[in-house]
Amino acid sequence: QVQLVESGGGLVQAGGSLRLSCAASTRTFSSYAMAWFRQAPGKEREFVARISGSGINTSYGDSVKGRFTISRDNTKNTVYLQMNSLNPEDTAVYYCNRVDWGTSRSLGAWGQGTLVTVSS
């Protein structure tokens, strides 16, 4: 069972930036595509961004394109989410997970997530 620990959330003003991290407890981290998801209060969890195992390929949800950047460091078993130009609609708990590259379907257990709150 791969354990995932998200961190880096917090309170930020609209227009600000945050960088989230997700550390994975697996020796085969580079074998997995990884993704970030988020869940706002009262809403379903939604896809944010994904990255291939090598880090070469990425894709983003429409609501974050051009503002968020996903990256990974396979030497540290960590995936990152750089979030710029944040707005209140980005307020949510952010989660990472392994995903099937073709469908972006999550493959493992969820971590505790990290809360991002954007004030207007």
Side-chain angles (χ1 to χ4, degrees):
Q1 182 83 334
V2 177
Q3 291 188 327
L4 303 166
V5 179
E6 300 93 343
S7 62
L11 175 63
V12 63
Q13 288 187 331
S17 299
L18 280 175
R19 188 194 194 203
L20 307 184
S21 299
C22 167
S25 64
T26 173
R27 295 181 180 180
T28 57
F29 181 71
S30 62
S31 300
Y32 302 119
M34 297 292 295
W36 285 95
F37 298 81
R38 67 186 182 185
Q39 187 166 20
K43 295 186 178 181
E44 294 186 353
R45 190 172 290 165
E46 68 168 336
F47 167 78
V48 174
R50 63 177 183 172
I51 187 166
S52 61
S54 66
I56 293 176
N57 298 303
T58 60
S59 67
Y60 298 87
D62 288 342
S63 62
V64 306
K65 281 180 182 177
R67 300 187 299 122
F68 290 10
T69 302
I70 189 171
S71 62
R72 66 190 297 160
D73 184 340
N74 288 341
T75 66
K76 297 182 179 180
N77 288 2
T78 300
V79 61
Y80 304 98
L81 186 68
Q82 178 66 43
M83 306 186 296
N84 298 329
S85 301
L86 286 161
N87 59 62
E89 290 69 39
D90 296 315
T91 294
V93 178
Y94 284 72
Y95 302 88
C96 66
N97 210 331
R98 295 180 293 138
V99 293
D100 173 83
W101 181 255
T103 64
S104 292
R105 181 176 63 89
S106 60
L107 297 178
W110 296 97
Q112 84 289 349
T114 187
L115 176 62
V116 172
T117 303
V118 184
S119 63
S120 56

PDB file of all heavy atoms in Angstrom, residues 33-37 47-53 55-61 64 69-72 79-81 97-105:
ATOM      1  N   ALA A  33       2.139   7.165 -12.950  1.00  0.00           N
ATOM      2  CA  ALA A  33       1.621   8.495 -13.234  1.00  0.00           C
ATOM      3  C   ALA A  33       0.981   8.995 -11.944  1.00  0.00           C
ATOM      4  O   ALA A  33       0.377   8.221 -11.198  1.00  0.00           O
ATOM      5  CB  ALA A  33       0.593   8.440 -14.349  1.00  0.00           C
ATOM      6  N   MET A  34       1.131  10.284 -11.700  1.00  0.00           N
ATOM      7  CA  MET A  34       0.575  10.885 -10.488  1.00  0.00           C
ATOM      8  C   MET A  34      -0.335  12.045 -10.872  1.00  0.00           C
ATOM      9  O   MET A  34      -0.178  12.649 -11.938  1.00  0.00           O
ATOM     10  CB  MET A  34       1.696  11.397  -9.585  1.00  0.00           C
ATOM     11  CG  MET A  34       2.631  10.331  -9.059  1.00  0.00           C
ATOM     12  SD  MET A  34       1.843   9.210  -7.886  1.00  0.00           S
ATOM     13  CE  MET A  34       1.462  10.333  -6.521  1.00  0.00           C
ATOM     14  N   ALA A  35      -1.249  12.346  -9.999  1.00  0.00           N
ATOM     15  CA  ALA A  35      -2.165  13.449 -10.282  1.00  0.00           C
ATOM     16  C   ALA A  35      -2.549  14.167  -9.006  1.00  0.00           C
ATOM     17  O   ALA A  35      -2.440  13.613  -7.899  1.00  0.00           O
ATOM     18  CB  ALA A  35      -3.426  12.926 -10.974  1.00  0.00           C
ATOM     19  N   TRP A  36      -2.968  15.384  -9.186  1.00  0.00           N
ATOM     20  CA  TRP A  36      -3.568  16.175  -8.115  1.00  0.00           C
ATOM     21  C   TRP A  36      -5.069  16.293  -8.380  1.00  0.00           C
ATOM     22  O   TRP A  36      -5.488  16.489  -9.531  1.00  0.00           O
ATOM     23  CB  TRP A  36      -2.956  17.567  -8.039  1.00  0.00           C
ATOM     24  CG  TRP A  36      -1.591  17.595  -7.447  1.00  0.00           C
ATOM     25  CD1 TRP A  36      -0.393  17.572  -8.110  1.00  0.00           C
ATOM     26  CD2 TRP A  36      -1.265  17.659  -6.057  1.00  0.00           C
ATOM     27  NE1 TRP A  36       0.647  17.606  -7.223  1.00  0.00           N
ATOM     28  CE2 TRP A  36       0.134  17.666  -5.948  1.00  0.00           C
ATOM     29  CE3 TRP A  36      -2.017  17.719  -4.883  1.00  0.00           C
ATOM     30  CZ2 TRP A  36       0.810  17.729  -4.718  1.00  0.00           C
ATOM     31  CZ3 TRP A  36      -1.361  17.779  -3.660  1.00  0.00           C
ATOM     32  CH2 TRP A  36       0.035  17.782  -3.591  1.00  0.00           C
ATOM     33  N   PHE A  37      -5.819  16.191  -7.307  1.00  0.00           N
ATOM     34  CA  PHE A  37      -7.258  16.388  -7.336  1.00  0.00           C
ATOM     35  C   PHE A  37      -7.604  17.405  -6.250  1.00  0.00           C
ATOM     36  O   PHE A  37      -6.788  17.681  -5.373  1.00  0.00           O
ATOM     37  CB  PHE A  37      -7.997  15.064  -7.033  1.00  0.00           C
ATOM     38  CG  PHE A  37      -7.744  13.971  -8.031  1.00  0.00           C
ATOM     39  CD1 PHE A  37      -6.581  13.198  -7.969  1.00  0.00           C
ATOM     40  CD2 PHE A  37      -8.662  13.701  -9.035  1.00  0.00           C
ATOM     41  CE1 PHE A  37      -6.344  12.178  -8.885  1.00  0.00           C
ATOM     42  CE2 PHE A  37      -8.436  12.675  -9.949  1.00  0.00           C
ATOM     43  CZ  PHE A  37      -7.275  11.923  -9.873  1.00  0.00           C
ATOM     44  N   PHE A  47     -10.544  16.496 -10.888  1.00  0.00           N
ATOM     45  CA  PHE A  47      -9.185  16.373 -11.405  1.00  0.00           C
ATOM     46  C   PHE A  47      -8.567  17.754 -11.594  1.00  0.00           C
ATOM     47  O   PHE A  47      -9.223  18.675 -12.106  1.00  0.00           O
ATOM     48  CB  PHE A  47      -9.222  15.630 -12.735  1.00  0.00           C
ATOM     49  CG  PHE A  47      -7.959  15.703 -13.529  1.00  0.00           C
ATOM     50  CD1 PHE A  47      -6.866  14.903 -13.192  1.00  0.00           C
ATOM     51  CD2 PHE A  47      -7.841  16.560 -14.600  1.00  0.00           C
ATOM     52  CE1 PHE A  47      -5.693  14.968 -13.919  1.00  0.00           C
ATOM     53  CE2 PHE A  47      -6.676  16.627 -15.339  1.00  0.00           C
ATOM     54  CZ  PHE A  47      -5.604  15.831 -15.000  1.00  0.00           C
ATOM     55  N   VAL A  48      -7.303  17.893 -11.218  1.00  0.00           N
ATOM     56  CA  VAL A  48      -6.595  19.162 -11.374  1.00  0.00           C
ATOM     57  C   VAL A  48      -5.473  19.047 -12.412  1.00  0.00           C
ATOM     58  O   VAL A  48      -5.414  19.820 -13.361  1.00  0.00           O
ATOM     59  CB  VAL A  48      -6.014  19.635 -10.030  1.00  0.00           C
ATOM     60  CG1 VAL A  48      -5.144  20.876 -10.227  1.00  0.00           C
ATOM     61  CG2 VAL A  48      -7.127  19.913  -9.029  1.00  0.00           C
ATOM     62  N   ALA A  49      -4.587  18.072 -12.215  1.00  0.00           N
ATOM     63  CA  ALA A  49      -3.447  17.932 -13.116  1.00  0.00           C
ATOM     64  C   ALA A  49      -2.860  16.542 -12.958  1.00  0.00           C
ATOM     65  O   ALA A  49      -2.999  15.918 -11.912  1.00  0.00           O
ATOM     66  CB  ALA A  49      -2.383  18.982 -12.803  1.00  0.00           C
ATOM     67  N   ARG A  50      -2.158  16.067 -13.984  1.00  0.00           N
ATOM     68  CA  ARG A  50      -1.501  14.777 -13.919  1.00  0.00           C
ATOM     69  C   ARG A  50      -0.136  14.861 -14.591  1.00  0.00           C
ATOM     70  O   ARG A  50       0.104  15.751 -15.408  1.00  0.00           O
ATOM     71  CB  ARG A  50      -2.344  13.687 -14.588  1.00  0.00           C
ATOM     72  CG  ARG A  50      -2.556  13.910 -16.074  1.00  0.00           C
ATOM     73  CD  ARG A  50      -3.333  12.774 -16.711  1.00  0.00           C
ATOM     74  NE  ARG A  50      -3.464  12.996 -18.165  1.00  0.00           N
ATOM     75  CZ  ARG A  50      -3.949  12.113 -19.006  1.00  0.00           C
ATOM     76  NH1 ARG A  50      -4.363  10.943 -18.564  1.00  0.00           N
ATOM     77  NH2 ARG A  50      -4.028  12.388 -20.289  1.00  0.00           N
ATOM     78  N   ILE A  51       0.710  13.923 -14.239  1.00  0.00           N
ATOM     79  CA  ILE A  51       2.061  13.889 -14.792  1.00  0.00           C
ATOM     80  C   ILE A  51       2.455  12.432 -14.974  1.00  0.00           C
ATOM     81  O   ILE A  51       2.164  11.587 -14.112  1.00  0.00           O
ATOM     82  CB  ILE A  51       3.040  14.658 -13.883  1.00  0.00           C
ATOM     83  CG1 ILE A  51       4.421  14.769 -14.524  1.00  0.00           C
ATOM     84  CG2 ILE A  51       3.126  14.043 -12.484  1.00  0.00           C
ATOM     85  CD1 ILE A  51       5.323  15.785 -13.840  1.00  0.00           C
ATOM     86  N   SER A  52       3.124  12.140 -16.063  1.00  0.00           N
ATOM     87  CA  SER A  52       3.557  10.774 -16.329  1.00  0.00           C
ATOM     88  C   SER A  52       4.695  10.386 -15.395  1.00  0.00           C
ATOM     89  O   SER A  52       5.298  11.231 -14.738  1.00  0.00           O
ATOM     90  CB  SER A  52       4.001  10.641 -17.787  1.00  0.00           C
ATOM     91  OG  SER A  52       5.093  11.512 -18.037  1.00  0.00           O
ATOM     92  N   GLY A  53       4.995   9.103 -15.356  1.00  0.00           N
ATOM     93  CA  GLY A  53       6.033   8.608 -14.479  1.00  0.00           C
ATOM     94  C   GLY A  53       7.386   9.248 -14.726  1.00  0.00           C
ATOM     95  O   GLY A  53       8.145   9.525 -13.788  1.00  0.00           O
ATOM     96  N   GLY A  55       7.784  12.199 -15.987  1.00  0.00           N
ATOM     97  CA  GLY A  55       7.676  13.642 -15.824  1.00  0.00           C
ATOM     98  C   GLY A  55       7.605  14.397 -17.132  1.00  0.00           C
ATOM     99  O   GLY A  55       7.448  15.623 -17.124  1.00  0.00           O
ATOM    100  N   ILE A  56       7.691  13.693 -18.246  1.00  0.00           N
ATOM    101  CA  ILE A  56       7.723  14.359 -19.548  1.00  0.00           C
ATOM    102  C   ILE A  56       6.345  14.869 -19.957  1.00  0.00           C
ATOM    103  O   ILE A  56       6.201  15.949 -20.520  1.00  0.00           O
ATOM    104  CB  ILE A  56       8.276  13.405 -20.614  1.00  0.00           C
ATOM    105  CG1 ILE A  56       9.751  13.108 -20.336  1.00  0.00           C
ATOM    106  CG2 ILE A  56       8.097  13.984 -22.013  1.00  0.00           C
ATOM    107  CD1 ILE A  56      10.369  12.091 -21.268  1.00  0.00           C
ATOM    108  N   ASN A  57       5.336  14.076 -19.680  1.00  0.00           N
ATOM    109  CA  ASN A  57       3.980  14.428 -20.114  1.00  0.00           C
ATOM    110  C   ASN A  57       3.125  14.929 -18.965  1.00  0.00           C
ATOM    111  O   ASN A  57       3.152  14.358 -17.867  1.00  0.00           O
ATOM    112  CB  ASN A  57       3.309  13.211 -20.749  1.00  0.00           C
ATOM    113  CG  ASN A  57       4.039  12.745 -21.984  1.00  0.00           C
ATOM    114  OD1 ASN A  57       4.235  13.501 -22.924  1.00  0.00           O
ATOM    115  ND2 ASN A  57       4.479  11.503 -21.989  1.00  0.00           N
ATOM    116  N   THR A  58       2.385  15.994 -19.245  1.00  0.00           N
ATOM    117  CA  THR A  58       1.482  16.557 -18.249  1.00  0.00           C
ATOM    118  C   THR A  58       0.163  16.960 -18.919  1.00  0.00           C
ATOM    119  O   THR A  58       0.109  17.171 -20.138  1.00  0.00           O
ATOM    120  CB  THR A  58       2.071  17.806 -17.580  1.00  0.00           C
ATOM    121  OG1 THR A  58       2.321  18.804 -18.581  1.00  0.00           O
ATOM    122  CG2 THR A  58       3.376  17.498 -16.851  1.00  0.00           C
ATOM    123  N   SER A  59      -0.864  17.050 -18.114  1.00  0.00           N
ATOM    124  CA  SER A  59      -2.122  17.618 -18.600  1.00  0.00           C
ATOM    125  C   SER A  59      -2.859  18.223 -17.425  1.00  0.00           C
ATOM    126  O   SER A  59      -2.589  17.868 -16.260  1.00  0.00           O
ATOM    127  CB  SER A  59      -2.979  16.574 -19.323  1.00  0.00           C
ATOM    128  OG  SER A  59      -3.424  15.582 -18.416  1.00  0.00           O
ATOM    129  N   TYR A  60      -3.789  19.150 -17.730  1.00  0.00           N
ATOM    130  CA  TYR A  60      -4.430  19.952 -16.698  1.00  0.00           C
ATOM    131  C   TYR A  60      -5.938  20.044 -16.907  1.00  0.00           C
ATOM    132  O   TYR A  60      -6.429  19.977 -18.041  1.00  0.00           O
ATOM    133  CB  TYR A  60      -3.843  21.370 -16.709  1.00  0.00           C
ATOM    134  CG  TYR A  60      -2.377  21.406 -16.411  1.00  0.00           C
ATOM    135  CD1 TYR A  60      -1.427  21.253 -17.416  1.00  0.00           C
ATOM    136  CD2 TYR A  60      -1.930  21.551 -15.098  1.00  0.00           C
ATOM    137  CE1 TYR A  60      -0.070  21.257 -17.123  1.00  0.00           C
ATOM    138  CE2 TYR A  60      -0.577  21.566 -14.800  1.00  0.00           C
ATOM    139  CZ  TYR A  60       0.349  21.415 -15.816  1.00  0.00           C
ATOM    140  OH  TYR A  60       1.690  21.420 -15.522  1.00  0.00           O
ATOM    141  N   GLY A  61      -6.628  20.241 -15.810  1.00  0.00           N
ATOM    142  CA  GLY A  61      -8.037  20.554 -15.903  1.00  0.00           C
ATOM    143  C   GLY A  61      -8.223  21.959 -16.465  1.00  0.00           C
ATOM    144  O   GLY A  61      -7.351  22.823 -16.302  1.00  0.00           O
ATOM    145  N   VAL A  64      -7.624  25.239 -14.366  1.00  0.00           N
ATOM    146  CA  VAL A  64      -6.310  25.607 -13.831  1.00  0.00           C
ATOM    147  C   VAL A  64      -5.251  25.778 -14.913  1.00  0.00           C
ATOM    148  O   VAL A  64      -4.123  26.171 -14.605  1.00  0.00           O
ATOM    149  CB  VAL A  64      -5.815  24.569 -12.803  1.00  0.00           C
ATOM    150  CG1 VAL A  64      -6.856  24.357 -11.710  1.00  0.00           C
ATOM    151  CG2 VAL A  64      -5.434  23.251 -13.455  1.00  0.00           C
ATOM    152  N   THR A  69       1.123  24.392 -12.318  1.00  0.00           N
ATOM    153  CA  THR A  69       2.136  23.560 -12.957  1.00  0.00           C
ATOM    154  C   THR A  69       2.429  22.354 -12.079  1.00  0.00           C
ATOM    155  O   THR A  69       2.757  22.513 -10.902  1.00  0.00           O
ATOM    156  CB  THR A  69       3.429  24.339 -13.191  1.00  0.00           C
ATOM    157  OG1 THR A  69       3.149  25.495 -14.003  1.00  0.00           O
ATOM    158  CG2 THR A  69       4.458  23.466 -13.901  1.00  0.00           C
ATOM    159  N   ILE A  70       2.311  21.173 -12.655  1.00  0.00           N
ATOM    160  CA  ILE A  70       2.637  19.947 -11.935  1.00  0.00           C
ATOM    161  C   ILE A  70       4.041  19.509 -12.324  1.00  0.00           C
ATOM    162  O   ILE A  70       4.451  19.652 -13.481  1.00  0.00           O
ATOM    163  CB  ILE A  70       1.603  18.832 -12.233  1.00  0.00           C
ATOM    164  CG1 ILE A  70       1.825  17.631 -11.306  1.00  0.00           C
ATOM    165  CG2 ILE A  70       1.607  18.440 -13.704  1.00  0.00           C
ATOM    166  CD1 ILE A  70       0.697  16.583 -11.394  1.00  0.00           C
ATOM    167  N   SER A  71       4.776  19.004 -11.353  1.00  0.00           N
ATOM    168  CA  SER A  71       6.125  18.510 -11.612  1.00  0.00           C
ATOM    169  C   SER A  71       6.416  17.391 -10.616  1.00  0.00           C
ATOM    170  O   SER A  71       5.636  17.152  -9.695  1.00  0.00           O
ATOM    171  CB  SER A  71       7.160  19.632 -11.486  1.00  0.00           C
ATOM    172  OG  SER A  71       7.159  20.161 -10.165  1.00  0.00           O
ATOM    173  N   ARG A  72       7.525  16.719 -10.822  1.00  0.00           N
ATOM    174  CA  ARG A  72       7.881  15.638  -9.899  1.00  0.00           C
ATOM    175  C   ARG A  72       9.386  15.510  -9.813  1.00  0.00           C
ATOM    176  O   ARG A  72      10.115  15.870 -10.748  1.00  0.00           O
ATOM    177  CB  ARG A  72       7.246  14.314 -10.333  1.00  0.00           C
ATOM    178  CG  ARG A  72       7.759  13.752 -11.648  1.00  0.00           C
ATOM    179  CD  ARG A  72       6.903  12.577 -12.125  1.00  0.00           C
ATOM    180  NE  ARG A  72       6.941  11.442 -11.210  1.00  0.00           N
ATOM    181  CZ  ARG A  72       6.021  10.483 -11.187  1.00  0.00           C
ATOM    182  NH1 ARG A  72       4.981  10.533 -11.996  1.00  0.00           N
ATOM    183  NH2 ARG A  72       6.147   9.468 -10.342  1.00  0.00           N
ATOM    184  N   VAL A  79       5.804  14.606  -5.767  1.00  0.00           N
ATOM    185  CA  VAL A  79       5.170  15.341  -6.852  1.00  0.00           C
ATOM    186  C   VAL A  79       4.740  16.696  -6.291  1.00  0.00           C
ATOM    187  O   VAL A  79       4.360  16.810  -5.125  1.00  0.00           O
ATOM    188  CB  VAL A  79       3.980  14.559  -7.440  1.00  0.00           C
ATOM    189  CG1 VAL A  79       2.904  14.297  -6.410  1.00  0.00           C
ATOM    190  CG2 VAL A  79       3.413  15.262  -8.663  1.00  0.00           C
ATOM    191  N   TYR A  80       4.826  17.709  -7.130  1.00  0.00           N
ATOM    192  CA  TYR A  80       4.551  19.082  -6.708  1.00  0.00           C
ATOM    193  C   TYR A  80       3.411  19.686  -7.528  1.00  0.00           C
ATOM    194  O   TYR A  80       3.131  19.256  -8.648  1.00  0.00           O
ATOM    195  CB  TYR A  80       5.795  19.947  -6.890  1.00  0.00           C
ATOM    196  CG  TYR A  80       7.011  19.429  -6.178  1.00  0.00           C
ATOM    197  CD1 TYR A  80       7.978  18.674  -6.859  1.00  0.00           C
ATOM    198  CD2 TYR A  80       7.214  19.679  -4.827  1.00  0.00           C
ATOM    199  CE1 TYR A  80       9.099  18.195  -6.211  1.00  0.00           C
ATOM    200  CE2 TYR A  80       8.334  19.201  -4.169  1.00  0.00           C
ATOM    201  CZ  TYR A  80       9.272  18.462  -4.861  1.00  0.00           C
ATOM    202  OH  TYR A  80      10.381  17.976  -4.206  1.00  0.00           O
ATOM    203  N   LEU A  81       2.796  20.707  -6.951  1.00  0.00           N
ATOM    204  CA  LEU A  81       1.813  21.489  -7.681  1.00  0.00           C
ATOM    205  C   LEU A  81       2.078  22.961  -7.368  1.00  0.00           C
ATOM    206  O   LEU A  81       1.834  23.411  -6.245  1.00  0.00           O
ATOM    207  CB  LEU A  81       0.379  21.112  -7.298  1.00  0.00           C
ATOM    208  CG  LEU A  81      -0.695  21.804  -8.126  1.00  0.00           C
ATOM    209  CD1 LEU A  81      -0.656  21.278  -9.578  1.00  0.00           C
ATOM    210  CD2 LEU A  81      -2.078  21.577  -7.524  1.00  0.00           C
ATOM    211  N   ASN A  97      -2.612  11.399  -5.905  1.00  0.00           N
ATOM    212  CA  ASN A  97      -2.815   9.961  -5.977  1.00  0.00           C
ATOM    213  C   ASN A  97      -2.145   9.415  -7.218  1.00  0.00           C
ATOM    214  O   ASN A  97      -1.851  10.156  -8.165  1.00  0.00           O
ATOM    215  CB  ASN A  97      -4.309   9.611  -6.001  1.00  0.00           C
ATOM    216  CG  ASN A  97      -4.589   8.261  -5.351  1.00  0.00           C
ATOM    217  OD1 ASN A  97      -3.737   7.367  -5.352  1.00  0.00           O
ATOM    218  ND2 ASN A  97      -5.767   8.110  -4.782  1.00  0.00           N
ATOM    219  N   ARG A  98      -1.876   8.140  -7.205  1.00  0.00           N
ATOM    220  CA  ARG A  98      -1.466   7.459  -8.413  1.00  0.00           C
ATOM    221  C   ARG A  98      -2.683   7.375  -9.332  1.00  0.00           C
ATOM    222  O   ARG A  98      -3.812   7.249  -8.850  1.00  0.00           O
ATOM    223  CB  ARG A  98      -0.978   6.051  -8.086  1.00  0.00           C
ATOM    224  CG  ARG A  98       0.276   6.001  -7.242  1.00  0.00           C
ATOM    225  CD  ARG A  98       0.678   4.568  -6.978  1.00  0.00           C
ATOM    226  NE  ARG A  98      -0.286   3.881  -6.143  1.00  0.00           N
ATOM    227  CZ  ARG A  98      -0.700   2.638  -6.359  1.00  0.00           C
ATOM    228  NH1 ARG A  98      -0.271   1.951  -7.405  1.00  0.00           N
ATOM    229  NH2 ARG A  98      -1.556   2.069  -5.540  1.00  0.00           N
ATOM    230  N   VAL A  99      -2.434   7.454 -10.628  1.00  0.00           N
ATOM    231  CA  VAL A  99      -3.545   7.381 -11.566  1.00  0.00           C
ATOM    232  C   VAL A  99      -3.214   6.519 -12.766  1.00  0.00           C
ATOM    233  O   VAL A  99      -2.052   6.324 -13.108  1.00  0.00           O
ATOM    234  CB  VAL A  99      -3.968   8.783 -12.059  1.00  0.00           C
ATOM    235  CG1 VAL A  99      -4.565   9.608 -10.943  1.00  0.00           C
ATOM    236  CG2 VAL A  99      -2.800   9.504 -12.728  1.00  0.00           C
ATOM    237  N   ASP A 100      -4.266   6.028 -13.381  1.00  0.00           N
ATOM    238  CA  ASP A 100      -4.130   5.398 -14.692  1.00  0.00           C
ATOM    239  C   ASP A 100      -3.989   6.515 -15.708  1.00  0.00           C
ATOM    240  O   ASP A 100      -4.841   7.410 -15.773  1.00  0.00           O
ATOM    241  CB  ASP A 100      -5.386   4.559 -14.981  1.00  0.00           C
ATOM    242  CG  ASP A 100      -5.370   4.031 -16.398  1.00  0.00           C
ATOM    243  OD1 ASP A 100      -4.727   3.006 -16.624  1.00  0.00           O
ATOM    244  OD2 ASP A 100      -6.009   4.662 -17.274  1.00  0.00           O
ATOM    245  N   TRP A 101      -2.928   6.505 -16.489  1.00  0.00           N
ATOM    246  CA  TRP A 101      -2.669   7.628 -17.385  1.00  0.00           C
ATOM    247  C   TRP A 101      -3.797   7.816 -18.399  1.00  0.00           C
ATOM    248  O   TRP A 101      -4.162   8.915 -18.738  1.00  0.00           O
ATOM    249  CB  TRP A 101      -1.332   7.425 -18.103  1.00  0.00           C
ATOM    250  CG  TRP A 101      -1.013   8.569 -19.031  1.00  0.00           C
ATOM    251  CD1 TRP A 101      -1.090   8.567 -20.384  1.00  0.00           C
ATOM    252  CD2 TRP A 101      -0.619   9.880 -18.637  1.00  0.00           C
ATOM    253  NE1 TRP A 101      -0.750   9.815 -20.855  1.00  0.00           N
ATOM    254  CE2 TRP A 101      -0.445  10.625 -19.827  1.00  0.00           C
ATOM    255  CE3 TRP A 101      -0.391  10.508 -17.405  1.00  0.00           C
ATOM    256  CZ2 TRP A 101      -0.050  11.963 -19.807  1.00  0.00           C
ATOM    257  CZ3 TRP A 101       0.014  11.834 -17.386  1.00  0.00           C
ATOM    258  CH2 TRP A 101       0.176  12.535 -18.582  1.00  0.00           C
ATOM    259  N   GLY A 102      -4.364   6.743 -18.881  1.00  0.00           N
ATOM    260  CA  GLY A 102      -5.369   6.852 -19.927  1.00  0.00           C
ATOM    261  C   GLY A 102      -6.680   7.455 -19.450  1.00  0.00           C
ATOM    262  O   GLY A 102      -7.359   8.160 -20.203  1.00  0.00           O
ATOM    263  N   THR A 103      -7.031   7.198 -18.190  1.00  0.00           N
ATOM    264  CA  THR A 103      -8.343   7.633 -17.697  1.00  0.00           C
ATOM    265  C   THR A 103      -8.268   8.650 -16.570  1.00  0.00           C
ATOM    266  O   THR A 103      -9.278   9.242 -16.215  1.00  0.00           O
ATOM    267  CB  THR A 103      -9.130   6.430 -17.168  1.00  0.00           C
ATOM    268  OG1 THR A 103      -8.428   5.878 -16.040  1.00  0.00           O
ATOM    269  CG2 THR A 103      -9.266   5.349 -18.242  1.00  0.00           C
ATOM    270  N   SER A 104      -7.089   8.846 -15.993  1.00  0.00           N
ATOM    271  CA  SER A 104      -6.903   9.675 -14.793  1.00  0.00           C
ATOM    272  C   SER A 104      -7.672   9.125 -13.602  1.00  0.00           C
ATOM    273  O   SER A 104      -7.914   9.838 -12.620  1.00  0.00           O
ATOM    274  CB  SER A 104      -7.317  11.134 -15.048  1.00  0.00           C
ATOM    275  OG  SER A 104      -6.429  11.746 -15.949  1.00  0.00           O
ATOM    276  N   ARG A 105      -8.049   7.850 -13.676  1.00  0.00           N
ATOM    277  CA  ARG A 105      -8.732   7.228 -12.544  1.00  0.00           C
ATOM    278  C   ARG A 105      -7.728   6.955 -11.439  1.00  0.00           C
ATOM    279  O   ARG A 105      -6.645   6.428 -11.683  1.00  0.00           O
ATOM    280  CB  ARG A 105      -9.394   5.930 -12.989  1.00  0.00           C
ATOM    281  CG  ARG A 105     -10.173   5.205 -11.890  1.00  0.00           C
ATOM    282  CD  ARG A 105     -10.862   3.973 -12.487  1.00  0.00           C
ATOM    283  NE  ARG A 105      -9.910   3.017 -12.994  1.00  0.00           N
ATOM    284  CZ  ARG A 105      -9.375   2.042 -12.284  1.00  0.00           C
ATOM    285  NH1 ARG A 105      -9.685   1.922 -10.997  1.00  0.00           N
ATOM    286  NH2 ARG A 105      -8.530   1.189 -12.831  1.00  0.00           N
TER     287      ARG A 105
END
